[in-house]
Every structure is written in structure tokens, then in C-alpha cells.
Amino acid sequence: MADTAECALCHKPVRSAAARARRIGSRCWRKLRPDQRAALRRDPARIRAVLSQPAPAVGGQLPLEEDVQL
């Protein structure tokens, strides 16, 4: 594979096309909050800005992605 890419968070090689596009491997992607994932889907180049955002102040568990209404 000539186009070797690595995860911006853990610096391990990424293999899937989706992971290469978002520049984050699947293991690190699953660790992100839903709002962080949504922000990275909109603009993958803002990785560091998205990760530095504080968690929203909510009581209890964050809602599941299926429960979030837009």
C-alpha cells in the first residue's frame, strides 16, 4: 500500500478508506463522543480543535446517537 496513513491520535496505521478520510483509526473513533464525531464528519481538518472542546455539561449519561433529534 503506497498511501500509508496513520491515526492522528494514536499514530498507528489506518487501513480502511473511511479511517483514512477522517484521519482517525476505528479504535480511536469509537472512543470519541457523538458531538466530536459529528464535528469531525463536517470538517476532518479540525481534529485538534474538536478534541480540545470540553464535554457538554449534562447530568448523567450522554444520549445515544439514535435518541438525538436534529
Side-chain angles (χ1 to χ4, degrees), residues 5-14 28 48:
E6 64 178 29
C7 176
L9 301 176
C10 67
H11 303 290
K12 291 184 180 180
V14 293
C28 294
R48 294 294 166 203

Side-chain angles (χ1 to χ4, degrees), residues 8-62:
L9 301 176
C10 67
H11 303 290
K12 291 184 180 180
V14 293
R15 292 175 180 83
S16 72
R20 282 194 303 271
R22 65 182 178 236
R23 298 184 227 165
I24 297 178
S26 58
R27 281 186 181 168
C28 294
W29 185 253
R30 288 189 299 262
K31 295 177 186 176
L32 297 176
R33 296 186 320 264
D35 62 314
Q36 290 175 321
R37 291 182 198 163
L40 287 173
R41 283 185 191 110
R42 286 191 300 271
D43 188 7
R46 297 187 58 229
I47 291 173
R48 294 294 166 203
V50 168
L51 296 176
S52 65
Q53 292 176 352
V58 295
Q61 183 177 356
L62 292 173

